[in-house]
Amino acid sequence: MHINKSLGLSSGMWDWVGGLPTGILRRKVTRRVEYLELDDGLIRKAGGTKDMKFEEVQMALVERGVDVLSKGEAQLKGHLNAWLLSREKVPVEKLLLTRYEIAKCLAHLADTIVDRLCGLLE
């Protein structure tokens, strides 16, 4: 249920009738997880975020339930890179369920990556 609500996979109208039926909910979450796994693989195969446009990075993060408002390109690429690094050790479902708990860690990791990249460019 948490993944469904945080990713906006169904309308809030279902709350009025007792919630989305479990079978439908399970199918929607399974499809989203499969999509994110495929998308993560495609991003890696294409060389990561370095050649991605700003809008592509924003869309990828929104699909993963990450807040993109008022954030610059470097910071968002850092967040997506942090997600991809986390995915090497943690399944999508766990990241989606614990993203509030690890949001600060991901933000710190993203900021560290950005700082290091900026240091290399100077």
Side-chain angles (χ1 to χ4, degrees), residues 24-110:
I24 295 172
L25 176 63
R26 189 172 288 126
R27 238 185 343 250
K28 284 178 167 271
V29 170
T30 299
R31 275 193 238 143
R32 179 57 65 99
V33 167
E34 289 170 353
Y35 167 76
L36 291 175
E37 288 172 341
L38 175 66
D39 196 42
D40 289 348
L42 292 172
I43 292 170
R44 277 195 200 94
K45 188 182 264 189
T49 62
K50 68 181 183 333
D51 293 329
M52 289 177 73
K53 294 179 181 169
F54 180 62
E55 293 80 14
E56 292 173 320
V57 175
Q58 283 181 312
M59 279 186 2
L61 288 170
V62 167
E63 289 170 342
R64 287 155 179 80
V66 177
D67 178 28
V68 299
L69 296 176
S70 302
K71 294 186 173 80
E73 184 172 359
Q75 188 177 17
L76 292 182
K77 282 187 175 186
H79 284 304
L80 187 53
N81 282 323
W83 170 278
L84 294 170
L85 285 172
S86 298
R87 279 281 293 119
E88 293 175 7
K89 297 180 182 191
V90 180
V92 171
E93 298 92 334
K94 185 151 184 144
L95 278 178
L96 292 172
L97 288 171
T98 59
R99 67 188 171 84
Y100 293 111
E101 296 170 20
I102 64 168
K104 287 183 182 178
C105 294
L106 282 176
H108 176 70
L109 179 58

